[in-house]
Amino acid sequence: AIIGLAMAAYVLGAELFDGGKTKDYPLWYDFANRIMDGEPLYDSGRYLYPPTMVVLLAPFSFLTPALFYALLIALSVGALYLSILWSMHLSAGERPLPWQWVLVPILMMLPQIFENFDLGQPHIILLAIMLSGFLFLREDRPFAAGALFALAAALKVFPISILPYLIWRRYWKAAGVMIAALMIILVVLPLPIRGYERNF
């Protein structure tokens, strides 16, 4: 809660009182509006991500920039909270952890957490999605795990690196679902908004 409030004040303060937020915040807002206006994503060379994130954000493009950024911050704060919970659960199960075992890793990660909020990157959201996938793998729910891994890879490409791990560990169902879900998310999901040719 403290980290979330501090980061919200930092980002929204810059937007409201210091000439506007820079980095990727305006990029997400601009391209969410472009999607809704039917404009191309990749003609300017500024947008370097898969289309999924901006397609999911497009319905919120009617918000003012400050409210749009507040939505991004809220998503990241929620993902940070889930990442902490899931990390504790994956490492200790139901056993209680000493408070320092929880606090020290968070303090060690503060520079990366700050950078995520400062730049407007979705890395904390990706982390929460990936950890959720690992929880589903542990609970022998490969279909849910594969779908979550696909979602993470469709938001930003580097989580695709989990696929060789799934194959190496013989999580065949999770790997198959990940490939199929990735095709659905990248090809089918953007079709109503972007059209066939542009999406292809």
Side-chain angles (χ1 to χ4, degrees):
I2 292 168
I3 292 170
L5 288 172
M7 292 298 96
Y10 173 76
V11 172
L12 296 177
E15 173 61 25
L16 295 172
F17 306 113
D18 195 24
K21 189 71 181 104
T22 59
K23 312 283 180 14
D24 280 357
Y25 286 96
L27 179 104
W28 296 121
Y29 184 71
D30 179 37
F31 281 92
N33 279 282
R34 281 186 179 219
I35 284 279
M36 293 306 288
D37 294 338
E39 296 179 26
L41 276 179
Y42 299 104
D43 63 332
S44 67
R46 289 175 53 220
Y47 190 80
L48 305 174
Y49 306 96
T52 311
M53 182 79 163
V54 77
V55 167
L56 293 173
L57 290 173
F60 303 98
S61 62
F62 68 92
L63 297 171
T64 65
L67 289 175
F68 188 85
Y69 303 165
L71 171 67
L72 294 177
I73 294 164
L75 289 172
S76 289
V77 169
L80 179 61
Y81 178 70
L82 288 177
S83 296
I84 294 167
L85 288 182
W86 294 170
S87 296
M88 292 189 312
H89 187 70
L90 283 166
S91 61
E94 299 301 324
R95 292 176 295 141
L97 286 171
W99 65 268
Q100 63 270 25
W101 288 18
V102 178
L103 184 60
V104 170
I106 294 171
L107 294 176
M108 291 173 63
M109 291 303 297
L110 277 179
Q112 285 76 24
I113 293 169
F114 171 79
E115 183 179 54
N116 185 91
F117 281 96
D118 181 42
L119 298 177
Q121 284 287 311
H123 296 151
I124 294 175
I125 296 169
L126 297 179
L127 177 61
I129 294 171
M130 295 296 286
L131 290 172
S132 300
F134 281 116
L135 280 174
F136 281 126
L137 270 185
R138 177 181 279 185
E139 295 171 4
D140 197 27
R141 296 174 64 185
F143 294 99
L148 285 170
F149 293 145
L151 175 61
L155 294 176
K156 197 166 182 180
V157 177
F158 65 81
I160 196 75
S161 60
I162 191 66
L163 186 58
Y165 169 80
L166 295 176
I167 294 169
W168 179 61
R169 293 295 303 267
R170 295 188 174 91
Y171 289 119
W172 304 119
K173 291 178 183 176
V177 169
M178 180 180 177
I179 293 168
L182 194 56
M183 293 300 103
I184 291 169
I185 294 169
L186 289 177
V187 176
V188 178
L189 177 67
L191 277 179
I193 296 176
R194 302 194 69 224
Y196 175 77
E197 287 187 16
R198 186 173 286 169
N199 192 48
F200 182 76

